[in-house]
Amino acid sequence: MVQNKEGDVIPVIGLEVHVQLETDTKIFCGCSTKEGVEPNVNVCPVCLGLPGSLPTLNEAAVRGAVKIGKAIGADISKETSFHRKNYFYPDLPKGFQITQYDEPICTEGEIEINVEGNRKRIRIERAHLEEDPGSLQHVSEGRGKEDYVLVDYNRAGIPLVEIVTEPDLRAPKEVRLFLAKLEEDLEFLGVFNSNRDGSLRADANVSLIRIADVNEDGTIDKKILQSAERIEIKNISSYKGAEKALVYEISRQKNTIMHGGEIKQETRHWDENRGITTPMRSKETEGDYRYFTEFDLPILSGEWWDEYIKNIDIPELPEAKRNRFYEEYMLTEEVAAKLTSTKDVSEFYELVVEEFDPDFAARWVADIILGELNYRDIDIGDVESRLDEFRRLIAYVAGGKITEKNARSIVLRRMLDEGSSPEEILDQEELEVSDDKEVRDFVLEVIEENKDAVADYERGESNAMNYLVGQVMVKTKGNANPAFINQILKEIIENGGGEKKELQ
Ligand SMILES: [Zn+2]
């Protein structure tokens, strides 16, 4: 395919995303998946591929894959089996990787992304279970030259789900949005931990297709896709990296075409540090892998399998939750998004909103508590045992026991910095809101002392009211509710203004 102008083509992108399932043990043996340990300690005869050892399927990994399938609206296969994918590489002790081939656990799903306000459906071709290989560490003893390679089998046998999309993505930015959405859903499912190193890795296929070959509905005929030269980019380890790698690769291909060169089908490596892709090897074909059935593992099928799939439930996903918060609690989209940013935050909000007004609860959870936590670099999950203390503090504010200002700037901060309970702090500090009688006396004093401002207010200057409220706040040393002062001020001024009329 030779083009003269770069504007004549658009990128067609498909992804293979490898997701590490959050399990305690590996997929085919009982070895721990714990990170941050010495190399080659989480190993056994099975994951080292020693002769005579046999794999056992980890039920937690199967459950995680079914959950992912349900979350992406995929069909969970009535029958699913494992295959051996043969290739020789030092990180693969058995000489083959156990994966799934013609009977993957999930087929035909979809993920919807929001591209500048428009919904876009990205079809998922399949999702299957497989084991991760080990990891290689290239060592240089100086001058940048690689002297030797070390291999660590701690990762060998870590459970992965590989999610394969149809080539429905049309821009690097869409890839970023897709991966971010996927990651968010996976975290809510509780099957994935984005803090783990290498927990989400992607390979991207990209071809340039003539705009003239794109159908009106945005689809592209299979024949055209098959004849296009496809470049596969390996080693993308984050969704921001994915966008960068594709921006680079697409402009490289366009430049090659513009200068009369040709794009050849190949596999390229994304070099995150240098921000470029480099040629790796010509892409293997399926035949090179000599797939054959892994007879040491059971085929999952039959009545018990149907029943097993049926009994796996998934929680409400972030987008559905966001829409529900928006509708049910009448929050703005921005606040609803903040409150569903993580599962823990959304659960805390739902706990608080049971008792209080939705807007008030949202301000306390999204702005005040999250704000103070973020400032201290604490996740809400880290203070799970104290959520009831936060709820009690919010109740004191709602009940008028203390002002919002003091609750935030004194009590909440001390709670977080000293670990005290709200009651302990309330006992130590004099923060109880002034009673009605006291506030009314201060209001009368302020009216007496600020006759000009009262007159301004009566002429319709609303700023004057803010000033008067401020003056009363000063007298109460901040221990009164501004809305309450506002109400009393209006009541007294409208009942005769500065004539110091006694109301009680
Ligand atoms: Zn093992």
PDB file of all heavy atoms in Angstrom, residues 26 29-31 42-44 46-47, ligand 1:
ATOM      1  N   LYS A  26      -0.390 -19.172  42.525  1.00  0.00           N
ATOM      2  CA  LYS A  26      -0.261 -19.208  41.063  1.00  0.00           C
ATOM      3  C   LYS A  26      -1.379 -20.032  40.420  1.00  0.00           C
ATOM      4  O   LYS A  26      -2.148 -20.695  41.103  1.00  0.00           O
ATOM      5  CB  LYS A  26       1.117 -19.783  40.690  1.00  0.00           C
ATOM      6  CG  LYS A  26       2.277 -18.876  41.098  1.00  0.00           C
ATOM      7  CD  LYS A  26       3.609 -19.456  40.635  1.00  0.00           C
ATOM      8  CE  LYS A  26       4.773 -18.545  41.036  1.00  0.00           C
ATOM      9  NZ  LYS A  26       6.071 -19.082  40.558  1.00  0.00           N
ATOM     10  N   CYS A  29      -0.172 -24.099  40.474  1.00  0.00           N
ATOM     11  CA  CYS A  29       0.495 -24.702  41.637  1.00  0.00           C
ATOM     12  C   CYS A  29       0.178 -23.858  42.861  1.00  0.00           C
ATOM     13  O   CYS A  29      -0.480 -22.836  42.741  1.00  0.00           O
ATOM     14  CB  CYS A  29       2.011 -24.798  41.411  1.00  0.00           C
ATOM     15  SG  CYS A  29       2.810 -23.192  41.206  1.00  0.00           S
ATOM     16  N   GLY A  30       0.672 -24.275  44.015  1.00  0.00           N
ATOM     17  CA  GLY A  30       0.341 -23.572  45.255  1.00  0.00           C
ATOM     18  C   GLY A  30       1.342 -22.487  45.620  1.00  0.00           C
ATOM     19  O   GLY A  30       1.281 -21.936  46.724  1.00  0.00           O
ATOM     20  N   CYS A  31       2.267 -22.148  44.732  1.00  0.00           N
ATOM     21  CA  CYS A  31       3.269 -21.130  45.058  1.00  0.00           C
ATOM     22  C   CYS A  31       2.625 -19.761  45.243  1.00  0.00           C
ATOM     23  O   CYS A  31       1.664 -19.421  44.556  1.00  0.00           O
ATOM     24  CB  CYS A  31       4.305 -21.032  43.942  1.00  0.00           C
ATOM     25  SG  CYS A  31       5.394 -22.445  43.865  1.00  0.00           S
ATOM     26  N   ASN A  42       9.529 -18.166  45.115  1.00  0.00           N
ATOM     27  CA  ASN A  42       8.154 -18.645  44.926  1.00  0.00           C
ATOM     28  C   ASN A  42       8.127 -19.657  43.780  1.00  0.00           C
ATOM     29  O   ASN A  42       7.538 -19.416  42.734  1.00  0.00           O
ATOM     30  CB  ASN A  42       7.212 -17.476  44.590  1.00  0.00           C
ATOM     31  CG  ASN A  42       7.073 -16.488  45.736  1.00  0.00           C
ATOM     32  OD1 ASN A  42       7.333 -16.839  46.890  1.00  0.00           O
ATOM     33  ND2 ASN A  42       6.657 -15.269  45.427  1.00  0.00           N
ATOM     34  N   VAL A  43       8.798 -20.757  43.981  1.00  0.00           N
ATOM     35  CA  VAL A  43       8.875 -21.752  42.905  1.00  0.00           C
ATOM     36  C   VAL A  43       8.711 -23.163  43.462  1.00  0.00           C
ATOM     37  O   VAL A  43       8.946 -23.411  44.648  1.00  0.00           O
ATOM     38  CB  VAL A  43      10.225 -21.676  42.139  1.00  0.00           C
ATOM     39  CG1 VAL A  43      10.316 -20.412  41.319  1.00  0.00           C
ATOM     40  CG2 VAL A  43      11.407 -21.775  43.100  1.00  0.00           C
ATOM     41  N   CYS A  44       8.300 -24.087  42.582  1.00  0.00           N
ATOM     42  CA  CYS A  44       8.139 -25.490  42.966  1.00  0.00           C
ATOM     43  C   CYS A  44       8.332 -26.330  41.691  1.00  0.00           C
ATOM     44  O   CYS A  44       8.475 -25.763  40.601  1.00  0.00           O
ATOM     45  CB  CYS A  44       6.750 -25.718  43.571  1.00  0.00           C
ATOM     46  SG  CYS A  44       5.426 -25.648  42.355  1.00  0.00           S
ATOM     47  N   VAL A  46       6.291 -27.752  39.810  1.00  0.00           N
ATOM     48  CA  VAL A  46       5.294 -27.501  38.753  1.00  0.00           C
ATOM     49  C   VAL A  46       5.661 -26.252  37.949  1.00  0.00           C
ATOM     50  O   VAL A  46       5.760 -26.297  36.721  1.00  0.00           O
ATOM     51  CB  VAL A  46       3.873 -27.359  39.351  1.00  0.00           C
ATOM     52  CG1 VAL A  46       2.866 -26.976  38.257  1.00  0.00           C
ATOM     53  CG2 VAL A  46       3.442 -28.643  40.035  1.00  0.00           C
ATOM     54  N   CYS A  47       5.905 -25.114  38.653  1.00  0.00           N
ATOM     55  CA  CYS A  47       6.156 -23.895  37.894  1.00  0.00           C
ATOM     56  C   CYS A  47       7.589 -23.837  37.357  1.00  0.00           C
ATOM     57  O   CYS A  47       7.908 -23.000  36.518  1.00  0.00           O
ATOM     58  CB  CYS A  47       5.755 -22.643  38.674  1.00  0.00           C
ATOM     59  SG  CYS A  47       6.499 -22.472  40.287  1.00  0.00           S
TER      60      CYS A  47
HETATM   61 ZN    ZN B   1       5.001 -23.370  41.824  1.00  0.00          ZN
END
